[in-house]
Amino acid sequence: MSFHSTNDSSSSHHEPYEVDECRGVLRVYSDGSIVRSSKPSFNVPINDDGSVIWKDVVFDKVNHLSLRLYKPAAAQSGSKLPVFFYIHGGGFCIGSRTWPNCQNYCLRLASDLQAVIVAPDYRLAPENRLPAAIEDGYTAVKWLQGEAESVDEPDKWMCDVADFGNVFICGDSAGGNIGHHLAIRLGKESAELGRVRVKGYVLLAPFFGGTVRCKSEAEGPKDAFLNLDLIDRFWRLSIPIGETTDHPLVNPFGPFSSSLEKVELDPILVVVGGSDLLQDRAKDYAMKLQNWGKKIEYVEFEGQQHGFFTINPNSQPSNHLMSIIKGFIAQNST
């Protein structure tokens, strides 16, 4: 419900009114107050048949952040499975590991990939603007390193089956942006992570921006699942105060961004829907890195919108995407 200011001269102040709203779960008011609903914006049933087991773990006590771990129920102690991060989307403003759309996708990833899935939360904007979310993604990866190298109390639930030398980092939308920045920060072969070796990155419709509109943004359907108004709103609420969408955290090839031409990177799979307003930016990202000799695989799903794989996880395109991810892991696990 929105509030409007009053003209009653007896009132000592103006009542706050709603200035921004995101998918019904985040409301920002004129006085700077923020209201978050405890209900997810995706109210779908959770498809948990017991073939995958999961649990929550705190990975950052200071910022009260948790992650959700998944593994196939049939995984035997000593049988090493790849570790696959899934960093959720939501324009840096909404979303959670606990939302049913995220949980359903992680259950399927664990089952189909036969992998340990790590699904971290991160601080959300506008309460915590960028780079908070990117720092939290890094903290989650460092948490995994701590588990891999723990001598005293390793978490046997995970450590008995996780192959820490075979890690993949996947990010969905805003999570894809986080994944990109992790790839740059960790560099090729992720030497700073000790026993943990990142073998590749999967960027699912990575959320990038810029002050100059690309064609897919300018000409995309107004009723798209992720439309231009919502894109602009997410950036307005998440970028550092006083900055524009050419900030290096938003636009990897913008006027203020460092060149990536000489940066050595692990393999990256970039995936986007052909009807996604982010399509042109994702393609431009992949083509520029390819032209600089990076090992980049670009896959575009004709006619698919933003988040098609979580919105309809059992569709033919979603099934095809899962087989592509599986192939990417197999190709880069050696």
Side-chain angles (χ1 to χ4, degrees):
M1 180 177 180
S2 300
F3 295 93
H4 301 278
S5 58
T6 175
N7 293 321
D8 184 354
S9 60
S10 65
S11 175
S12 60
H13 64 279
H14 296 292
E15 290 190 12
Y17 56 92
E18 186 179 294
V19 293
D20 273 310
E21 178 274 331
C22 297
R23 300 216 189 275
V25 299
L26 168 65
R27 300 181 188 278
V28 181
Y29 292 91
S30 56
D31 63 352
S33 61
I34 294 164
V35 176
R36 287 187 179 274
S37 170
S38 59
K39 295 181 180 179
S41 62
F42 298 90
N43 188 20
V44 295
I46 295 174
N47 302 318
D48 188 351
D49 62 5
S51 63
V52 170
I53 55 178
W54 56 271
K55 71 171 186 173
D56 287 324
V57 176
V58 175
F59 74 92
D60 183 347
K61 293 180 180 178
V62 174
N63 293 306
H64 309 291
L65 292 172
S66 295
L67 52 78
R68 187 160 285 181
L69 294 170
Y70 300 80
K71 67 178 180 180
Q76 300 293 318
S77 178
S79 62
K80 296 301 184 181
L81 305 178
V83 178
F84 191 88
F85 276 78
Y86 176 78
I87 308 173
H88 71 76
F92 295 110
C93 296
I94 60 175
S96 168
R97 77 191 191 288
T98 66
W99 280 18
N101 61 314
C102 179
Q103 187 158 0
N104 281 337
Y105 202 58
C106 287
L107 288 165
R108 180 156 189 208
L109 286 167
S111 177
D112 284 29
L113 301 181
Q114 285 297 290
V116 175
I117 309 301
V118 182
D121 275 342
Y122 48 85
R123 286 170 289 170
L124 299 174
E127 302 95 320
N128 300 280
R129 290 175 176 263
L130 291 171
I134 295 167
E135 290 297 328
D136 295 339
Y138 178 73
T139 301
V141 176
K142 293 296 283 185
W143 170 87
L144 186 72
Q145 179 187 0
E147 290 296 315
E149 298 177 350
S150 175
V151 176
D152 299 327
E153 295 180 8
D155 185 343
K156 294 180 69 65
W157 191 96
M158 176 181 64
C159 292
D160 280 357
V161 297
D163 182 354
F164 294 110
N166 195 24
V167 176
F168 293 82
I169 295 177
C170 171
D172 175 358
S173 194
N177 178 301
I178 295 172
H180 158 75
H181 288 290
L182 288 174
I184 302 301
R185 183 166 181 173
L186 296 173
K188 191 172 184 180
E189 298 184 353
S190 51
E192 72 168 270
L193 296 180
R195 284 191 61 204
V196 170
R197 169 70 170 88
V198 180
K199 294 293 188 72
Y201 296 80
V202 179
L203 309 186
L204 303 173
F207 190 43
F208 297 131
T211 55
V212 178
R213 299 284 194 208
C214 61
K215 184 178 179 183
S216 61
E217 289 171 342
E219 300 179 7
K222 299 292 186 289
D223 61 348
F225 174 71
L226 180 65
N227 58 43
L228 195 56
D229 176 66
L230 191 53
I231 289 172
D232 287 347
R233 202 176 317 162
F234 282 147
W235 287 130
R236 186 168 64 247
L237 293 171
S238 64
I239 61 176
I241 297 290
E243 297 287 351
T244 73
T245 48
D246 277 333
H247 190 285
L249 297 178
V250 177
N251 187 351
F253 305 116
F256 310 110
S257 301
S258 300
S259 174
L260 301 178
E261 185 173 1
K262 304 297 185 184
V263 178
E264 292 194 16
L265 298 170
D266 286 317
I268 300 176
L269 168 64
V270 181
V271 176
V272 72
S275 296
D276 189 338
L277 270 65
L278 301 179
Q279 183 261 335
D280 283 348
R281 291 199 185 276
K283 185 174 183 178
D284 180 62
Y285 172 84
M287 295 303 106
K288 277 194 168 82
L289 293 182
Q290 269 188 1
N291 291 338
W292 285 331
K294 319 299 181 193
K295 190 176 179 182
I296 309 294
E297 183 179 349
Y298 174 75
V299 180
E300 185 177 307
F301 283 82
E302 183 179 357
Q304 296 302 305
Q305 65 173 320
H306 190 75
F308 67 91
F309 44 89
T310 55
I311 294 170
N312 190 355
N314 296 312
S315 68
Q316 188 277 329
S318 298
N319 292 336
H320 186 203
L321 171 58
M322 191 64 72
S323 68
I324 289 172
I325 294 173
K326 193 181 299 185
F328 180 77
I329 292 174
Q331 181 183 354
N332 294 290
S333 289
T334 54

